[in-house]
Amino acid sequence: SSHTSSMMVDSTLTQVGKNLNEAMRILGDGQGEQIRHEWILSLKCVIMLLFGVSSRLLNVGEQGHMALLGHSLAAYISVLDRERLRKLTTRILSDTTMWLCRLFRYENGSACFHDDDRDGLIKVCRLVINARYQEYASEGYTVLSSKQPIIYQSASCRPGLAQHLCTQLGLPLSSLCTVPCNTVFGSQHQMDVALLEKLIKEDKEAGKLPLLLIANAGTPGAGHTDKLGRLRDLCDQYSLWLHVEGWVTSAATRSDSMTLTPGQWLGLPAVTAVTLYRHEDPALSLAAGLTPSQPVDKLRALPLWLSLQHLGHSGVVQKFRHATSLVTSREGSVEGFCAGEKEVLDAFNRWLGEQLAQLVPTSGVDVVELEEEGTCVRFSPLVTAAVLGTQQEDVEDLVVKLMEVVPVMNSTLCLIQDFREQTHRHSPSLRYIEEHSWPGLGAVRYEPQADGMDEIRRKQELEKINTELLKKLQELDTDIIFSSGSDFGTEEDCIFVGMVTEDVDVCELVDTIAALGRDIVESGRLLENMTEVVRKGILEAELQLQKANEEKLIEEGMLRQLPLVGSVLNWFSPVQSSIKGRTFNLAAGSLDSTEVTYSTKAQAGKLSLQDAPTSSSKRLPGQRLFQRSGAGSDSISETSSIGQAEETTMERSITESSSIQPPISPAALETPSDTAGDVITEKIQGSFEQVPSQVEAEEPTKEMQPEGQEVKQSSR
């Protein structure tokens, strides 16, 4: 493994060296060769450490290597002499700003690079406050008391953004105004422009100063975009600064500022966020922190600068087009959705998102919580495709998996009520548990009657019974998943039934759960009484053996009990002993004679209620447990009924024919005793398993039957 790691390191260093040479060529620095040599020596130690953690860290692509190289080069460049550093950082900053403005068609813009994607909005707010309050630079926050600044945001903005803004700026939360989204007309995720205008007028009349509006060009949850054109006109009318967050559209280019996350869109690791803005006063921009005051701060743009150089304008556009092509509509239908309670639907959608993320991990789907819709599954290739390398094949695979999973969800939702009703049918022993957070058919608990049992003992019994019941259900030959649901809800000692298909027989499923639970309870009671049963059985066996010995003594006499005399008497006058053996039946708790066992050469037994079948239905070849037979179920049921009737009729006819015995033939008299005994044993055993009480009554008659008749009847 060390040899393989060494080969991987050498391969990685070769690629890094190639990218570093390209970076040095782009920088045009005469010290590039020395920097490259020192950098590779330092990087080799780092890579060896990283391989011990995860080799996936190095699988970032060529453009990713360029971004990572940018961070390391920034540290080396920062030690250059001041004049050389100033020229180099100014070029890097101006080039990156020009390329970004060209890519997003943001004319005459400036750029601010920041690690936290919220910092750009904070600096923009400082810029607007400095511009709208002339004495703010000298008087500070005291000038805000004359006219309280108001910042407007959409209700669909990312949570906590405006609160963080007020905290960093030292503004009270009363300076924040959340504008509701459309509720009657338009999208439920777009800001209500008419209501916004009304709020602005009310604030102006109250002596407040409308300062800034935060709009969305792609909401964090569902990607909805506000009516940026109308908002731009409204901001011009009331002198508000328009800031745009989210995924940039063509309408966002009319904003006063907008925050971009190119590293996320292009799959570039550790690349800063960028805020583009327009303002004519560089002094105010410097005071707000939008313009870096130190040359080293300008090096934040170096990783993005190298990556954009490597990709080129066409390469960046191609990545955006590829992400857009992944969201085009595909063939397929997932209709048939069944409505239900919102909490249940949230649980099912959360399960759907987790399943799709596991089945197609490169798709980048995730789960989001929306205020109105609840839990939703989000597919956002612009954010994830570049990082995960999502391709058209992944999207097609995602659609296929979606069409497979959604019908199962629909059928489960439709059968939840039936499962609840069937469970109530077995009440109070089987209890239905209301657990809306469980993505499945439902949850049940087997609760046997426990009169006179304290709460601690009762809880222990519930845990023991339901644990054993869950184990038995998991051993069944079925596609249904049974679990303890430990991660869902607060209920304990429950059995959670997972997703089911539409052909599941819910009645049979619930009946089986109840029957297995009943068997476990009865088996537990049998074990509890086993000690007492065995003790009584041993005492009874001792008494019967003592009685048998006394009868033997009376029957054979005292002389036969003496060692030597008894042997001589038994030689001259053998005695056939009538003492019978005894067998102890643990299930019945009784002593039985072994006479039947020796006569039939088989262990006798009684049919107990536990051994009785719980269902008379028969499955077809290949049919799974709890699965209905489908469209032909009625005909199959009728066929089964007819088959049972014919079988009953045949049994009756055989019984009647056996009562009319044919004449005894000489062949039958010459039949060897061993053969006849075997035949009789088979007949007795077969009838014993069905009607034990008729064995002794039928045995004399059966011995008189011919050999052929006996064999024929014993084979049934």
Side-chain angles (χ1 to χ4, degrees):
S1 59
S2 60
H3 178 67
T4 303
S5 299
S6 178
M7 292 179 61
M8 295 178 65
V9 170
D10 294 338
S11 176
T12 303
L13 288 177
T14 302
Q15 183 64 35
V16 169
K18 177 181 177 182
N19 294 335
L20 188 57
N21 285 330
E22 179 68 13
M24 292 297 100
R25 185 189 63 79
I26 295 173
L27 287 172
D29 193 339
Q31 299 180 355
E33 183 62 27
Q34 180 181 357
I35 293 177
R36 188 186 77 87
H37 179 70
E38 296 176 357
W39 191 87
I40 288 184
L41 291 177
S42 302
L43 183 63
K44 188 168 185 178
C45 298
V46 177
I47 290 179
M48 293 300 296
L49 294 175
L50 291 180
F51 265 103
V53 179
S54 175
S55 59
R56 187 173 181 269
L57 295 174
L58 301 176
N59 187 22
V60 294
E62 290 188 7
Q63 66 272 14
H65 280 297
M66 298 300 292
L68 295 175
L69 282 171
H71 289 278
S72 301
L73 288 174
Y76 281 102
I77 294 175
S78 62
V79 300
L80 297 176
D81 59 89
R82 186 173 183 82
E83 182 62 23
R84 183 186 295 271
L85 178 62
R86 184 187 62 81
K87 293 181 179 179
L88 186 58
T89 54
T90 301
R91 175 187 170 186
I92 293 173
L93 184 62
S94 60
D95 287 352
T96 310
T97 302
M98 179 185 65
W99 296 334
L100 291 174
C101 291
R102 178 189 173 192
L103 281 170
F104 298 103
R105 301 176 183 177
Y106 198 81
E107 299 179 357
N108 301 322
S110 301
C112 175
F113 300 88
H114 44 89
D115 296 325
D116 192 332
D117 56 0
R118 299 172 297 180
D119 288 349
L121 178 58
I122 295 174
K123 296 177 180 180
V124 165
C125 287
R126 291 198 181 106
L127 172 64
V128 180
I129 291 176
N130 276 279
R132 298 297 298 274
Y133 293 90
Q134 300 295 332
E135 299 178 355
Y136 180 78
S138 58
E139 301 295 332
Y141 288 101
T142 57
V143 301
L144 303 180
S145 58
S146 58
K147 283 189 176 183
Q148 182 181 2
I150 303 297
I151 300 174
Y152 303 90
Q153 71 158 358
S154 172
S156 60
C157 281
R158 54 174 167 166
L161 176 62
Q163 289 79 359
H164 176 75
L165 183 62
C166 291
T167 301
Q168 296 298 317
L169 295 176
L171 297 176
L173 292 179
S174 58
S175 294
L176 175 62
C177 179
T178 301
V179 183
C181 296
N182 292 324
T183 55
V184 180
F185 302 102
S187 171
Q188 295 183 351
H189 300 275
Q190 287 183 329
M191 188 185 303
D192 192 331
V193 181
L195 182 57
L196 172 62
E197 185 175 8
K198 179 182 178 182
L199 293 174
I200 293 175
K201 290 180 179 180
E202 292 177 355
D203 290 335
K204 290 180 69 68
E205 293 174 358
K208 300 178 182 179
L209 179 62
L211 189 69
L212 182 139
L213 171 63
I214 306 173
N216 288 317
T219 55
H224 293 86
T225 301
D226 289 324
K227 301 174 183 177
L228 299 180
R230 293 185 58 187
L231 293 178
R232 175 72 272 176
D233 297 337
L234 190 64
C235 289
D236 291 339
Q237 180 180 352
Y238 293 97
S239 301
L240 268 75
W241 183 282
L242 177 60
H243 179 80
V244 174
E245 292 272 329
W247 308 329
V248 178
T249 64
S250 58
T253 58
R254 297 182 56 193
S255 62
D256 296 306
S257 60
M258 60 182 180
T259 298
L260 314 175
T261 54
Q264 191 178 37
W265 301 340
L266 301 176
L268 305 176
V271 170
T272 60
V274 183
T275 295
L276 300 180
Y277 66 96
R278 295 189 183 97
H279 199 267
E280 298 179 353
D281 192 344
L284 293 180
S285 299
L286 181 62
L290 289 168
T291 303
S293 58
Q294 299 295 327
V296 177
D297 296 334
K298 298 179 182 180
L299 289 175
R300 289 180 178 174
L302 180 57
L304 182 58
W305 183 86
L306 285 174
S307 299
L308 293 177
Q309 284 274 19
H310 180 76
L311 287 172
H313 185 274
S314 60
V316 175
V317 173
Q318 177 60 32
K319 282 187 171 291
F320 287 136
R321 288 178 177 175
H322 174 69
T324 304
S325 66
L326 295 177
V327 296
T328 55
S329 58
R330 300 282 169 185
E331 296 182 0
S333 173
V334 289
E335 298 179 357
F337 178 75
C338 299
E341 300 180 9
K342 184 177 182 298
E343 190 175 357
V344 176
L345 296 180
D346 288 345
F348 274 60
N349 281 298
R350 191 176 300 110
W351 177 85
L352 174 62
E354 294 173 355
Q355 290 295 311
L356 294 177
Q358 294 178 3
L359 295 173
V360 193
T362 53
S363 64
V365 295
D366 61 346
V367 178
V368 295
E369 302 288 341
L370 301 182
E371 184 176 358
E372 295 294 334
E373 289 79 1
T375 305
C376 299
V377 180
R378 177 176 60 182
F379 175 57
S380 178
L382 181 60
V383 179
T384 62
V387 177
L388 299 177
T390 309
Q391 301 297 326
Q392 295 287 352
E393 294 78 9
D394 300 320
V395 179
E396 294 173 358
D397 191 16
L398 178 65
V399 174
V400 171
K401 299 300 181 183
L402 191 65
M403 295 176 64
E404 294 176 356
V405 174
V406 170
V408 178
M409 296 173 57
N410 290 339
S411 61
T412 304
L413 284 169
C414 294
L415 293 175
I416 286 179
Q417 181 61 29
D418 189 16
F419 181 75
R420 183 187 289 110
E421 294 174 356
Q422 293 294 334
T423 304
H424 291 330
R425 187 166 54 85
H426 291 273
S427 179
S429 60
L430 193 62
R431 177 187 171 192
Y432 181 83
I433 306 298
E434 294 287 347
E435 190 58 70
H436 298 301
S437 62
W438 168 249
L441 192 61
V444 295
R445 180 192 295 125
Y446 195 87
E447 298 180 349
Q449 299 299 318
D451 299 333
M453 188 180 297
D454 58 15
E455 186 63 25
I456 298 178
R457 177 70 183 280
R458 178 178 175 275
K459 186 175 181 181
Q460 292 176 349
E461 287 297 316
L462 283 179
E463 181 181 0
K464 178 182 178 182
I465 293 172
N466 286 277
T467 300
E468 183 66 21
L469 178 57
L470 175 60
K471 181 180 179 181
K472 289 183 176 295
L473 290 172
Q474 291 175 340
E475 293 174 352
L476 296 177
D477 181 21
T478 177
D479 294 330
I480 303 177
I481 297 178
F482 302 93
S483 67
S484 61
S486 57
D487 298 334
F488 298 87
T490 57
E491 295 286 345
E492 298 179 352
D493 305 327
C494 298
I495 297 173
F496 290 79
V497 186
M499 297 285 179
V500 297
T501 54
E502 61 181 356
D503 59 351
V504 166
D505 191 337
V506 178
C507 180
E508 182 184 357
L509 171 62
V510 178
D511 289 345
T512 302
I513 296 176
L516 290 176
R518 184 168 56 251
D519 292 344
I520 294 173
V521 173
E522 293 176 356
S523 300
R525 291 173 181 173
L526 177 62
L527 292 176
E528 291 178 357
N529 299 328
M530 186 65 67
T531 303
E532 184 66 19
V533 171
V534 171
R535 188 183 67 83
K536 291 181 179 180
I538 292 174
L539 293 177
E540 184 180 354
E542 291 177 350
L543 292 176
Q544 292 190 15
L545 289 175
Q546 183 179 0
K547 183 179 179 180
N549 290 330
E550 293 175 355
E551 293 176 353
K552 179 180 179 181
L553 180 62
I554 295 173
E555 181 180 355
E556 298 179 356
M558 289 293 298
L559 293 177
R560 292 183 181 272
Q561 310 305 318
L562 299 176
L564 183 60
V565 177
S567 300
V568 174
L569 289 177
N570 290 334
W571 176 265
F572 288 102
S573 178
V575 176
Q576 187 69 26
S577 178
S578 61
I579 299 179
K580 307 296 188 301
R582 297 292 187 268
T583 176
F584 183 59
N585 191 333
L586 290 177
S590 62
L591 283 173
D592 299 330
S593 175
T594 59
E595 182 178 2
V596 177
T597 302
Y598 289 117
S599 63
T600 61
K601 299 183 180 180
Q603 181 68 35
K606 297 182 180 179
L607 183 65
S608 64
L609 294 177
Q610 295 182 8
D611 299 329
T614 58
S615 175
S616 60
S617 61
K618 298 181 179 179
R619 297 201 302 270
L620 297 176
Q623 182 179 356
R624 303 299 295 275
L625 190 62
F626 311 131
Q627 183 180 8
R628 293 197 302 266
S629 56
S633 59
D634 296 337
S635 61
I636 293 174
S637 178
E638 294 176 0
T639 305
S640 301
S641 302
I642 295 174
Q644 293 175 2
E646 292 177 353
E647 184 178 355
T648 304
T649 305
M650 183 179 299
E651 291 178 356
R652 290 179 180 176
S653 63
I654 294 175
T655 304
E656 293 175 357
S657 63
S658 62
S659 62
I660 304 175
Q661 304 296 333
I664 302 176
S665 63
L669 296 176
E670 297 175 359
T671 302
S673 59
D674 293 341
T675 306
D678 293 340
V679 175
I680 293 174
T681 301
E682 293 178 5
K683 291 178 59 181
I684 292 177
Q685 183 178 358
S687 60
F688 182 82
E689 292 176 354
Q690 297 180 8
V691 188
S693 61
Q694 298 179 1
V695 174
E696 297 179 359
E698 294 180 0
E699 185 173 356
T701 306
K702 292 178 181 178
E703 290 178 353
M704 301 298 295
Q705 295 178 0
E707 180 180 359
Q709 182 72 12
E710 290 174 346
V711 174
K712 180 178 180 181
Q713 292 186 9
S714 64
S715 62
R716 62 181 174 94

